[in-house]
């Protein structure tokens, strides 16, 4: 059998990323007293809330939904009409080739006789 040869690249080309990634370790949280104390630490900064991503959701109004449905229906009708016309063209071409083949066969098998 024919065995394919796999090329060997001795040096990597491009950026090599490791397969194993480590999760970042959380920063240590400093404990604060609830009452006033003689410590020299300061109050922690308030944590910023992460922004909420809306993702890829698309919000459409009822008119927009009707436009999308109407556009989709129009595309389906146009594509269907094109495919049907192509099928009809192939069928007509096949029928005409078949008729031509029958006529040629009859002419070649029965040549006209001269008197």
């Amino acid at each position: 059998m024919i065995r394919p040869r796999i090329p060997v690249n001795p040096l990597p080309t491009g950026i090599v990323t490791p397969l194993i990634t480590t999760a970042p370790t959380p920063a240590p949280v400093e404990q604060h007293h609830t009452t006033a104390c003689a410590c020299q630490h300061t109050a922690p900064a308030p944590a910023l809330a992460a922004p909420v991503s809306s993702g890829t959701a698309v919000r459409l109004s009822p008119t927009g939904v009707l436009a999308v449905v109407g556009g989709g229906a129009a595309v389906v009708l146009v594509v269907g009409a094109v495919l049907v016309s192509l099928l009809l063209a192939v069928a007509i071409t096949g029928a005409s080739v078949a008729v031509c083949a029958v006529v040629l066969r009859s002419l070649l098998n029965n040549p006209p006789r001269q008197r």
Side-chain angles (χ1 to χ4, degrees):
M1 296 296 295
I2 299 174
R3 295 186 182 207
R5 293 185 183 183
I6 300 173
V8 177
N9 191 4
L11 297 174
T13 57
I15 299 172
V16 178
T17 57
L19 294 177
I20 299 173
T21 58
T22 58
T25 57
V29 177
E30 189 174 330
Q31 297 292 330
H32 293 287
H33 305 287
T34 56
T35 60
C37 65
C39 305
Q40 296 297 323
H41 58 83
T42 59
L48 297 176
V52 177
S53 65
S54 63
T56 58
V58 176
R59 304 198 92 157
L60 291 176
S61 64
T63 307
V65 171
L66 287 177
V68 169
V69 169
V75 167
V76 167
L77 289 176
V78 168
V79 170
V82 168
L83 291 177
V84 167
S85 64
L86 286 173
L87 181 63
L88 186 60
V90 168
I92 291 172
T93 303
S96 64
V97 167
V99 169
C100 290
V102 168
V103 170
L104 283 174
R105 190 174 87 180
S106 66
L107 287 176
L108 292 175
N109 285 342
N110 299 324
R113 296 182 188 151
Q114 295 179 356
R115 292 186 188 192

